[in-house]
Amino acid sequence: MQGVEVLSASYSYHTKPFHVVAKEGLQTHYLLRLQTEGRCRTRIGGALVPVEPGDLMLYAPDMPYELHVEEEERGDGRAVASGDYFIFFRGGWVDEWWKQKPRPVKMRVPMDEGLVPLWRQMIAEHRRQSEQSPMLLDYLMRVVCLTVDRLCSEQRPIKGNAFLAYRMKHYVEERATTLFQLKDLARHCNVSVSRAVHLYKQFFGKSIIQYAQEVRLKVALERMLYTQTPLEVIAETSGFPSYTYFYRVFKKEFGVSPQQYRSERSGALET
């Protein structure tokens, strides 16, 4: 059976409005797109629907594709800020995979496990372009597709306190790059601050602030490795109050300065 060809695998970060309308579809390839930060909108069933962090979109070649990245309200005013991983791919194996069963155009997936490490590995291999790269990309793409199916089959409705805890988690993921306060999260979830703090710690074993800082560091890492944005701007737009604070947190977590980390990892991606 024909293998999988990865045409493009990367991470994109938009700071300006961005619009794509392909009414006839993508023609020759499939698209997987995972929103990691900020928000955008896509058209599903004739209506524009929001796409938020953790939303994975799946498109076959003949499916209409429409994407709108626009200004949105942030803690410091209105701005454009949208980050995503994407893969354009095709192949006989993919055609057979797609025909096996219906899949949603948009589904919610966890961003801290499973797909994201695979995506990063695929980006690195796609850039490396070694003699072994086509075969490795073929295997990685198959793993990604099968992982998508597993996540799709394992999705279950969440109720009660678990639903509330995951609602808070999604709130943090969506707004970590802004200077939100605990009272904002509590108000959004219609609970007291003390209950929000207790419930989150009970379900996830860490505080809301700890998780927000983890998300901010992940956001900063993506921008450091896959964009040329200055480190000071990355610190500010990733939710850190100052570059000095970002530097201190980053070095404590990774043992090196942001500049050293960027230089070392960017060089490794290009080899």
Side-chain angles (χ1 to χ4, degrees):
M1 187 181 296
Q2 183 182 351
V4 181
E5 179 186 3
V6 177
L7 290 84
S8 179
S10 192
Y11 170 83
S12 64
Y13 179 63
H14 301 280
T15 57
K16 296 180 181 179
F18 177 77
H19 305 278
V20 175
V21 178
K23 294 183 179 179
E24 303 301 321
L26 302 170
Q27 302 297 316
T28 62
H29 47 266
Y30 296 79
L31 167 65
L32 292 182
R33 183 184 183 279
L34 176 63
Q35 188 78 12
T36 58
E37 56 178 298
R39 289 183 245 188
C40 60
R41 294 189 299 165
T42 191
R43 192 173 296 278
I44 300 177
L48 281 174
V49 299
V51 179
E52 301 179 338
D55 283 340
L56 176 70
M57 296 188 294
L58 302 86
Y59 289 94
D62 59 347
M63 294 172 58
Y65 176 56
E66 188 170 345
L67 184 74
H68 299 271
V69 178
E70 301 160 334
E71 281 191 346
E72 63 176 12
E73 289 291 342
R74 295 172 61 84
D76 50 357
R78 295 185 62 83
V80 177
S82 176
D84 65 272
Y85 287 105
F86 63 87
I87 309 174
F88 289 101
F89 60 108
R90 64 187 177 193
W93 184 88
V94 185
D95 295 333
E96 293 302 317
W97 169 74
W98 188 263
K99 293 174 185 176
Q100 288 174 3
K101 58 184 173 182
R103 297 174 182 83
V105 178
K106 187 181 78 164
M107 59 182 283
R108 172 74 66 168
V109 300
M111 291 195 299
D112 53 353
E113 58 185 67
L115 282 179
V116 172
L118 285 171
W119 226 305
R120 289 174 179 153
Q121 189 174 353
M122 188 170 296
I123 291 172
E125 194 58 49
H126 193 265
R127 290 184 175 182
R128 190 170 288 117
Q129 290 297 312
S130 69
E131 184 179 341
Q132 295 80 25
S133 290
M135 183 176 292
L136 284 168
L137 287 170
D138 177 272
Y139 283 119
L140 285 169
M141 194 67 242
R142 291 170 190 253
V143 174
V144 167
C145 291
L146 295 174
T147 300
V148 168
D149 280 349
R150 173 179 288 177
L151 290 171
C152 189
S153 65
E154 290 179 349
Q155 286 189 345
R156 298 287 187 274
I158 303 174
K159 300 179 181 180
N161 285 342
F163 172 82
L164 187 56
Y166 276 95
R167 188 179 181 190
M168 289 190 287
K169 186 172 186 285
H170 293 153
Y171 181 95
V172 174
E173 291 169 351
E174 293 166 16
R175 294 168 175 80
T177 56
T178 67
L179 297 177
F180 75 88
Q181 298 181 337
L182 289 178
K183 64 180 182 181
D184 301 324
L185 180 150
R187 187 183 305 113
H188 176 78
C189 297
N190 198 30
V191 295
S192 67
V193 171
S194 60
R195 181 161 186 237
V197 169
H198 174 76
L199 192 61
Y200 195 92
K201 186 68 177 291
Q202 176 186 346
F203 271 84
F204 301 113
K206 64 184 69 174
S207 72
I208 295 170
I209 299 304
Q210 284 175 321
Y211 184 59
Q213 187 145 289
E214 288 179 11
V215 174
R216 287 166 181 155
L217 277 173
K218 288 179 182 178
V219 168
L221 281 176
E222 306 296 351
R223 297 177 184 177
M224 286 167 60
L225 294 177
Y226 303 119
T227 76
Q228 299 301 314
T229 307
L231 290 173
E232 291 78 6
V233 176
I234 287 176
E236 179 184 352
T237 58
S238 298
F240 293 92
S242 68
Y243 179 74
T244 301
Y245 181 71
F246 168 65
Y247 182 99
R248 187 164 64 249
V249 170
F250 191 95
K251 190 163 187 180
K252 181 179 179 181
E253 178 70 20
F254 298 103
V256 296
S257 71
Q259 182 61 57
Q260 184 179 348
Y261 185 95
R262 180 184 235 181
S263 298
E264 293 175 353
R265 294 301 295 271
S266 296
L269 285 174
E270 293 171 1
T271 57

